[in-house]
Amino acid sequence: MSKDMLGWRCKFGVMGPSTNTIVQPDFDMMRPAGVTNHYARIFTPNANAISNETFRAGAEVIAGNTLDAVKSVMTCAPDHLVMGMSAVTFFDGAKGADRFVKQVEEFSGLKISVGSHACTAALNAYGGVKRIAVLSPYWPAMNIEVARYFTDMGFSVVRDIALKRPSWIGIAETTSEECVAAMKYLDGDDVDAIVQVGTNLSMVKLAAMAEMWLGKPVIAINTATYWHALRARGIEDKVEGCGKLLERF
């Protein structure tokens, strides 16, 4: 059987919002030799003045346009799909995540890695994690959905912070200083791990550094999602510099 010259081990089909400028370079940074990432952008108008009321509505527009992106990326004959947008994978808790996965897998005939379930798999890989804190660029109404999901999966959400970014593009403009301040707020002896959600928030390298000075798992959702996709395809390569998840598990 013929193999793709560059993606001879695996071709990933990745769906991400058209406003997202972080997930593509993040995934490419973690890509082992012989694995290629192929992006289909989910049409997403840049929502300005996001609020509790408009965040979910905007995210549901993205969810509604996801299958068009799946249809587009399927023309390159990928081996596995990866969802490069996390909010829609937390809606309505665990049952909502399962429903989203089922919809895409039935439509495409391929398996998909999604942020919510990837974070659960990552937390379980570390082991001994029961109490978590959540960092998001979202608005509080969306954090409620994230907490519902993790509670459904057997974790206790001790604290969370919503950075309330003003637009979809504005998420990618969040500074490292803002993220560090958020992690300091979230951390405590009552927290076993910190989970960062929101794929347009640049946290892969920062989370890896934070693990060293906090002495506990700090999971960036882009790391967890790409790790999950690699392992789902039996690719066990260890990737240095992006946290213990990719270095050890």
Side-chain angles (χ1 to χ4, degrees), residues 12-218:
F12 286 135
V14 183
M15 295 75 66
S18 55
T19 50
N20 189 309
T21 55
I22 299 297
V23 71
Q24 182 170 347
D26 269 2
F27 282 1
D28 286 347
M29 176 173 60
M30 297 181 279
R31 180 180 64 85
V35 177
T36 49
N37 305 321
H38 307 283
Y39 289 84
R41 304 189 75 78
I42 305 164
F43 179 71
T44 309
N46 182 38
N48 290 306
I50 294 177
S51 65
N52 271 327
E53 292 71 31
T54 62
F55 186 97
R56 176 157 185 154
E60 285 178 346
V61 168
I62 298 172
N65 291 337
T66 295
L67 291 184
D68 286 340
V70 174
K71 183 178 179 180
S72 176
V73 83
M74 287 298 294
T75 61
C76 78
D79 301 299
H80 187 86
L81 297 179
V82 188
M83 186 59 178
M85 196 274 189
S86 61
V88 299
T89 74
F90 289 105
F91 283 156
D92 302 323
K95 67 179 181 181
D98 289 340
R99 185 167 60 245
F100 178 84
V101 168
K102 182 180 180 183
Q103 179 187 33
V104 174
E105 290 186 346
E106 288 183 349
F107 181 83
S108 66
L110 295 178
K111 293 294 184 182
I112 184 172
S113 293
V114 300
S116 55
H117 286 341
C119 284
T120 292
L123 290 167
N124 289 335
Y126 276 95
V129 175
K130 298 295 183 185
R131 304 163 301 172
I132 66 171
V134 174
L135 191 171
S136 93
Y138 304 148
W139 284 69
M142 186 64 220
N143 275 27
I144 291 172
E145 298 290 336
V146 176
R148 178 186 304 175
Y149 168 83
F150 282 118
T151 301
D152 286 350
M153 301 308 291
F155 300 99
S156 172
V157 179
V158 177
R159 272 185 296 284
D160 71 281
I161 189 168
L163 297 180
K164 297 190 286 189
R165 302 305 296 160
S167 68
W168 296 130
I169 288 174
I171 294 172
E173 296 167 354
T174 308
T175 66
S176 295
E177 290 79 9
E178 289 172 307
C179 293
V180 168
M183 285 189 285
K184 288 180 177 178
Y185 164 80
L186 292 170
D187 190 36
D189 293 340
D190 54 346
V191 170
D192 301 322
I194 295 174
V195 179
Q196 172 261 315
V197 299
T199 63
N200 205 24
L201 187 61
S202 180
M203 279 278 291
V204 170
K205 292 290 189 180
L206 184 58
M209 290 186 283
E211 285 191 321
M212 291 188 284
W213 47 263
L214 292 178
K216 63 185 62 175
V218 180

